[in-house]
Amino acid sequence: MWKSFKAFNINAANNFLYMMTSNFWFLFLFVAVIGTIVLLMKEEIDTSIREEQNII
């Protein structure tokens, strides 16, 4: 059962890598999603810091 689970995950990783390298639009989409997450996290951190400063 462990070998089957391991093979399934290796196959999924290889399929994901193939999809990323064969479709450049998918690569750009993935980069855009990561960039959006980073920017939203940065905005949330900045907002929480400002709110803490206003409390004091």
Side-chain angles (χ1 to χ4, degrees), residues 10-55:
I10 290 172
N11 186 26
N14 287 336
N15 189 18
F16 183 72
L17 288 173
Y18 173 74
M19 189 171 40
M20 291 293 283
T21 57
S22 65
N23 297 323
F24 287 113
W25 66 267
F26 194 76
L27 179 64
F28 293 138
L29 182 66
F30 185 71
V31 170
V33 167
I34 297 297
T36 302
I37 291 170
V38 168
L39 289 174
L40 286 173
M41 286 177 60
K42 181 182 179 303
E43 180 184 2
E44 187 66 30
I45 290 169
D46 290 345
T47 304
S48 64
I49 290 173
R50 283 192 203 114
E51 288 175 358
E52 288 177 6
Q53 289 175 350
N54 288 338
I55 292 172

